[in-house]
Amino acid sequence: PGPGQLLCFRREEMAAASEAATLRVRVLLFASAKELAGTGECEVELPEGSRSSDLRRALETRFLLLRECIHDTAIAVNQQYVAWDDDPLLSDRDEVAVIPPISGG
Amino acid sequence: MAEAWCLASIRESVLSHEEAVAFVGDPGCGAIATFLGVTRDNFEGKAVSKLSYEAYVPMAEQEMRKLCEAAKAKWGVSKVAILHRIGDVPIGGASVIIAVSAPHRREALDACAFLIDDLKANVPIWKKESYDDGGDQWKQNNEFSHGGPREASVPSPRKE
């Protein structure tokens, strides 16, 4: 491979690196959390490597009233329950639901 | 393709007990147990006008299917139907209908009790209670554990 081909490969690496710098998470809010936030859905952009605790801080900043109830909530990532304490890493295009104490049945 | 043995569905219209019973019917089973959760007209001395339900629909149906799997694993039931309504449910209306068939009554009755107990602990559905005096509040099930639910495969202890 000549020098020209090597240069192309490096440009692609740099482009990929800048694209991976942030991730976008789709957040769904329900019940009391939805009422306090004033919306049932939003998109949050976070730095690559962010965890659910980072998302929580971002939500509390964006929706001040959410602080009233967020400590009682659970979350689900891609429709699987996760404890906030597990503090999992988030991935681009994850769907995260803020789940206040449930009351089905 | 095998015939479906589990019906787990969130509905926006009036639920049908007949539909649930018809679904779980199995000539090899001698028992069908059912449960209906209906809107009560009172809470702590206040007159209730209606209940309004909201759900995280795809996850709720997935969690309901997990309950069916758990019931089958624990009690060997034949078929399960879980229907839950969202939107407004008036006094006397059914918000949830559960039906389960099994060869004998013990398994059907125990599985049915487990299904409603664990639905209350795990399925992401919420109800708002509205009162005649104009107030309302989101309800919270005691079964729901802070920070996430218990495993559906463990039967809940009986609540008083």
Side-chain angles (χ1 to χ4, degrees), chain B residues 25-46:
Chain B
D26 178 347
C29 288
I32 293 176
T34 69
F35 172 83
L36 289 82
V38 296
T39 299
R40 254 194 303 164
D41 66 2
N42 69 90
F43 176 73
E44 289 183 354
K46 288 202 278 192

Side-chain angles (χ1 to χ4, degrees), chain A residues 8-46:
Chain A
C8 275
F9 179 68
R10 285 200 191 101
R11 273 206 206 102
E12 280 166 11
E13 270 185 312
M14 284 166 62
S18 64
E19 276 165 14
T22 64
L23 52 96
R24 284 204 157 111
V25 169
R26 180 178 175 225
V27 178
L28 302 178
L29 302 116
F30 294 94
S32 51
K34 179 177 175 180
E35 283 181 354
L36 287 167
T39 182
E41 185 170 342
C42 68
E43 194 174 79
V44 177
E45 195 169 313
L46 295 164

